[in-house]
Amino acid sequence: MLKAYGKFWKNYVNFKGRSSRSDFWWATLVNALVYVILMVVGFGPFLVAFFSSQDVKKVSAGVFIVMGLSVLALLIYLLATILPTLSLAYRRLVDTGLSPWWYSLVVLEVITNFMAESSVSAISDPASVVNIILTIALIVLFAMKTDKFSKQPAQSIEK
């Protein structure tokens, strides 16, 4: 797991070569865990304090400081992982033997995700529906087996 996460950071702008299923999913899992931990650390104390007093004015300033620092850390981590995540997705799609043009689905998913998040009604918004369909399609594509017979030579990305 840590080896795959190390490769995730080592090849953060490498759009050449391949990425195995295990490398992709382990890096994705670690990133998800980091996001969840930062969210729990940031919003957990606020939610506990809010639900115990039922009044935002009674929540201490320290809780807001912890929440602000956690949100800042989450934003920094999110910005730091944008390029490595995009390059990992590209290498994974190439590793399945698909044409690099399939990467446009990743770009469309990111765009519709931003459009869906800005929407008030999640289910009735067309961008949300398209985003859900693209997300499911990408999960299926990322889970495909490695194409060992692709014309592109398997390049080692261990470096």
Side-chain angles (χ1 to χ4, degrees):
M1 175 168 80
L2 294 178
K3 185 177 178 183
Y5 192 63
K7 284 198 267 184
F8 170 77
W9 285 107
K10 190 181 286 186
N11 295 299
Y12 74 101
V13 290
N14 181 10
F15 285 86
K16 295 179 181 172
R18 296 174 163 210
S19 180
S20 68
R21 264 195 296 193
S22 63
D23 287 346
F24 177 83
W25 289 113
W26 281 119
T28 302
L29 176 66
V30 171
N31 280 332
L33 289 174
V34 170
Y35 292 139
V36 167
I37 289 169
L38 288 173
M39 293 289 278
V40 167
V41 167
F43 294 106
F46 172 76
L47 292 174
V48 168
F50 176 74
F51 285 122
S52 65
S53 68
Q54 297 293 325
D55 188 11
V56 176
K57 294 178 184 176
K58 292 183 181 178
V59 177
S60 70
V63 171
F64 283 110
I65 291 171
V66 169
M67 187 172 76
L69 290 174
S70 179
V71 168
L72 181 64
L74 184 66
L75 181 64
I76 290 170
Y77 188 76
L78 176 71
L79 290 173
T81 58
I82 286 174
L83 275 177
T85 302
L86 292 174
S87 69
L88 180 67
Y90 181 84
R91 289 192 316 267
R92 179 67 202 131
L93 287 174
V94 169
D95 190 48
T96 61
L98 295 172
S99 165
W101 284 101
W102 282 88
Y103 188 70
S104 60
L105 290 179
V106 174
V107 175
L108 284 173
E109 195 272 337
V110 170
I111 292 169
T112 58
N113 192 22
F114 283 120
M115 291 171 58
E117 287 181 5
S118 65
S119 168
V120 176
S121 174
I123 299 300
S124 64
D125 184 33
S128 297
V129 174
V130 171
N131 182 261
I132 291 169
I133 293 168
L134 285 173
T135 301
I136 293 169
L138 285 171
I139 288 171
V140 170
L141 292 176
F142 291 142
M144 288 174 53
K145 289 184 179 180
T146 297
D147 181 19
K148 295 183 172 128
F149 304 106
S150 178
K151 293 178 184 176
Q152 178 186 0
Q155 299 170 351
S156 174
I157 55 171
E158 294 288 326
K159 295 181 185 176

